[in-house]
Amino acid sequence: MQELGLTVAEIATVYAFLPITSILGPPLSGLVADRFGRFKQVVVANMVLTVVLHCALLYVPARPRASIRMSCGPDGNVLTWSCNTCHQQLNNTQLQLTLQLCEFDCVSPPSELSVCVHEEDLATCHNYSLFDQITLNGTVLSWREEEKCNHTLYNPLYDQQVYHTLSCSSQCHVKCQVMQVPQCHVSDDPDSTANTFWIYFVLRMIATFFLNSLFTMMDAMTLAIVRQHNGDYGKQRFLFILGLATVPLLAGFTLDWHEASVGYKDYSPAFYLGAALCLVSAALITRLCFTVEPSGDKVVADLLKLVTRPEINVYLVMVLVMGSNWGFLESYLFLYLETLHAPSYLMGLTLTVGSLVGMPVMLIADAVVEKLRRPTIFIISFFIYAIRHIGYSYINDPWLVFPFEVLEVFTYQLMWVAAITYCSILAPKGLLATMTGLTGAIHFSLGRGLGSLVGGHLINNLGLPAAFRAYGGIAAGSGILYVLIHFCYIKKKLSAREEERQREAGECLPMMDNDAAHVLVNQVTAESSL
């Protein structure tokens, strides 16, 4: 979005509306798959449309980039914007400018190409070579003189020292191209066309609709195959996490290599890599053999069961609160690490470490979930979230983030295995895909939006460290509340429903042979195990 020239306000608008499509997509796709029993077709359709629409983002017409040139001589420096506007709003604005491609602007240039930064007395000058690019932080001063706008950089910060002014000692003026150029984006700016924003906005909304549908449908399909072949869902998550840990690194290295080759930032290799992997997945999905029981004709009646059963309502609210904790960290952890001056590669490593630690656990995740029971996993996740939030708030070295990132194995990896496999227990007949789609939408979309909203208000009023501690309190309080509700109310409801299932199974036993009866009893016992 930044490369296309979208403003911060426009990017915020896109992110504000994305949760709407994320909430609508998964349940609708799940409902279609359940209604017609067309799991494979729905998944492949979502995957193809995801590829096409995301690749289409690469062809959104970009806004013309503003450019800045710096010219300096003995009297100081002047910044010149390519836009034909005054930019008074840049006055006293802090900017980071990287100077490159510097050259003399005269007939007989001297041999030494350098810039001079002055201390407060103006007599002391420190020269720095301009043959290589240098990066300066400073304040832009703007003023109008005879209908002409002028800008200069003063109080430059270089090599961890603040100077007073910047000039070039040679009588021959020096001109430099400036990288990391802020956009103009004022009312009379010809670059501020709305077409780029609206084309991107519409494409992104539709693409996200199918992308989130695809994620949750893949979960539902995997769960259906695991149940049919009596497999372990955790082992499938192992491979998912393996891809999550390796492919982003591959994409990052590919982008860096491509940028070094072409000389500018271009995200298309990452898009095409993702498209290729999706198409390979689509081809593999068409070869899968599995069956899912359709919901039948009583779709409305079955859907009402999702919103009227107390155990399902409590489960979905629990997923929402859990998703808000996840969304808070996804939205603000990197922002907090930036205040601790964390390098970019450290932030990327947080994703890799969390994934790598979770991989071996996924091999035994089903056994752990069955041993501890799903509600216990949810309770543990709430309290581990509290530890993570409060722990982050007290670190003063960004490298100390990793002990808390390891705990993600409880708050995300194990929790999600428990949540998704819980769907097959709680879902009414024929609504497995709908239930998993609703779970995914609530956690990753609605929950994330809630976490971002609440976290934003907490940060605005309390500051970052205190906001993390406050959210730790929210997580701990939610865990205590879930303990009370589950053991004082929901557990009794689930026990009554288990007895009802076993009675239904017992009534069917006389009509079956011994082997079939044995299989049915085992299935009922497994599905009602909590």
Side-chain angles (χ1 to χ4, degrees):
M1 288 188 278
Q2 289 178 327
E3 290 299 309
L4 289 175
L6 270 63
T7 64
V8 173
E10 289 170 335
I11 292 174
T13 301
V14 172
Y15 280 129
F17 281 90
L18 279 180
I20 298 175
T21 59
S22 301
I23 293 169
L24 294 176
L28 289 176
S29 291
L31 189 60
V32 171
D34 281 330
R35 177 66 181 85
F36 300 103
R38 302 283 185 176
F39 257 61
K40 284 201 296 187
Q41 290 85 341
V42 173
V43 172
V44 172
N46 278 324
M47 191 168 287
V48 171
L49 288 169
T50 296
V51 169
V52 171
L53 290 166
H54 277 87
C55 287
L57 295 175
L58 296 172
Y59 299 94
V60 174
R63 286 172 177 159
R65 298 288 297 181
S67 63
I68 305 178
R69 292 190 67 85
M70 173 181 279
S71 175
C72 70
D75 298 330
N77 70 87
V78 175
L79 296 171
T80 305
W81 260 259
S82 62
C83 311
N84 296 319
T85 50
C86 194
H87 301 290
Q88 290 288 357
Q89 76 276 15
L90 287 174
N91 194 29
N92 291 317
T93 299
Q94 292 289 326
L95 288 180
Q96 183 183 78
L97 304 176
T98 300
L99 307 181
Q100 65 171 7
L101 304 177
C102 297
E103 58 184 8
F104 286 110
D105 187 23
C106 61
V107 178
S108 301
S111 58
E112 182 180 357
L113 182 61
S114 63
V115 64
C116 176
V117 285
H118 301 269
E119 294 187 8
E120 194 72 32
D121 57 8
L122 299 181
T124 306
C125 175
H126 300 272
N127 282 296
Y128 294 98
S129 174
L130 290 175
F131 285 108
D132 296 319
Q133 69 179 29
I134 65 170
T135 299
L136 300 166
N137 288 286
T139 305
V140 173
L141 176 64
S142 302
W143 72 95
R144 184 184 292 275
E145 184 177 324
E146 296 180 355
E147 300 301 321
K148 180 183 178 182
C149 257
N150 300 282
H151 311 278
T152 188
L153 186 73
Y154 73 101
N155 286 347
L157 170 66
Y158 185 72
D159 200 18
Q160 298 183 341
Q161 183 173 348
V162 178
Y163 297 95
H164 184 62
T165 59
L166 180 149
S167 66
C168 294
S169 55
S170 171
Q171 294 297 321
C172 182
H173 278 61
V174 176
K175 291 187 175 180
C176 298
Q177 186 67 45
V178 179
M179 293 178 63
Q180 301 173 336
V181 180
Q183 292 289 332
C184 297
H185 298 310
V186 291
S187 57
D188 58 345
D189 181 3
D191 293 344
S192 295
T193 56
N195 291 340
T196 298
F197 168 74
W198 285 111
I199 294 173
Y200 181 89
F201 180 81
V202 173
L203 280 175
R204 182 72 183 274
M205 292 300 112
I206 302 173
T208 303
F209 178 94
F210 291 108
L211 175 67
N212 285 280
S213 300
L214 174 61
F215 271 122
T216 53
M217 288 301 299
M218 289 287 283
D219 267 331
M221 183 186 69
T222 304
L223 193 57
I225 296 173
V226 166
R227 290 181 63 190
Q228 181 173 324
H229 297 282
N230 206 20
D232 289 337
Y233 179 76
K235 292 180 180 178
Q236 310 305 315
R237 291 288 296 181
F238 170 86
L239 294 173
F240 167 80
I241 296 170
L242 178 63
L244 191 64
T246 55
V247 174
L249 285 176
L250 174 62
F253 285 129
T254 302
L255 288 178
D256 289 341
W257 171 80
H258 183 68
E259 182 179 354
S261 300
V262 300
Y264 58 90
K265 190 174 291 293
D266 179 14
Y267 290 98
S268 60
F271 279 78
Y272 292 134
L273 174 62
L277 292 172
C278 279
L279 294 177
V280 171
S281 296
L284 294 173
I285 289 170
T286 60
R287 304 296 299 168
L288 292 176
C289 295
F290 64 98
T291 57
V292 178
E293 185 179 27
S295 61
D297 297 327
K298 298 180 180 180
V299 178
V300 176
D302 290 337
L303 285 175
L304 286 175
K305 294 179 181 179
L306 285 177
V307 296
T308 56
R309 287 185 178 178
E311 63 271 27
I312 293 180
N313 290 333
V314 170
Y315 165 76
L316 293 178
V317 172
M318 181 277 300
V319 169
L320 174 64
V321 179
M322 201 79 73
S324 74
N325 281 270
W326 176 80
F328 175 75
L329 290 180
E330 287 290 304
S331 300
Y332 300 112
L333 178 58
F334 282 3
L335 181 65
Y336 183 51
L337 291 178
E338 283 184 0
T339 65
L340 300 177
H341 307 292
S344 298
Y345 68 85
L346 185 146
M347 298 183 192
L349 278 176
T350 61
L351 303 175
T352 303
V353 168
S355 298
L356 291 178
V357 173
M359 285 172 60
V361 177
M362 289 299 98
L363 296 175
I364 58 171
D366 289 83
V368 172
V369 169
E370 292 299 330
K371 182 71 175 177
L372 296 179
R373 306 302 188 193
R374 290 162 183 84
T376 306
I377 296 291
F378 299 146
I379 293 166
I380 292 173
S381 297
F382 275 124
F383 288 110
I384 296 294
Y385 261 127
I387 294 173
R388 290 183 68 190
H389 291 316
I390 296 172
Y392 288 135
S393 71
Y394 284 104
I395 65 174
N396 51 21
D397 184 340
W399 287 97
L400 294 177
V401 74
F402 290 107
F404 299 103
E405 282 299 297
V406 169
L407 297 177
E408 190 180 77
V409 68
F410 297 101
T411 58
Y412 178 61
Q413 317 291 10
L414 274 177
M415 185 281 297
W416 194 244
V417 171
I420 288 298
T421 54
Y422 211 20
C423 290
S424 64
I425 296 171
L426 296 177
K429 178 182 177 181
L431 288 180
L432 176 60
T434 305
M435 186 74 179
T436 55
L438 195 59
T439 299
I442 289 175
H443 184 276
F444 293 109
S445 301
L446 193 60
R448 179 170 185 165
L450 180 63
S452 300
L453 179 64
V454 174
H457 283 290
L458 289 175
I459 291 170
N460 186 54
N461 292 296
L462 303 176
L464 272 167
F468 272 79
R469 290 170 203 146
Y471 228 101
I474 293 173
S478 301
I480 294 171
L481 185 61
Y482 183 75
V483 169
L484 296 175
I485 294 175
H486 177 77
F487 288 102
C488 296
Y489 178 67
I490 296 300
K491 191 173 183 180
K492 297 176 182 178
K493 284 282 185 182
L494 294 172
S495 298
R497 198 171 299 283
E498 177 184 349
E499 293 175 1
E500 181 183 346
R501 285 188 179 189
Q502 290 179 343
R503 281 198 307 270
E504 292 176 354
E507 293 172 358
C508 297
L509 294 183
M511 297 181 292
M512 300 180 178
D513 57 36
N514 290 336
D515 290 339
H518 180 69
V519 169
L520 181 57
V521 169
N522 286 342
Q523 182 179 354
V524 170
T525 303
E527 291 187 352
S528 60
S529 174
L530 301 172

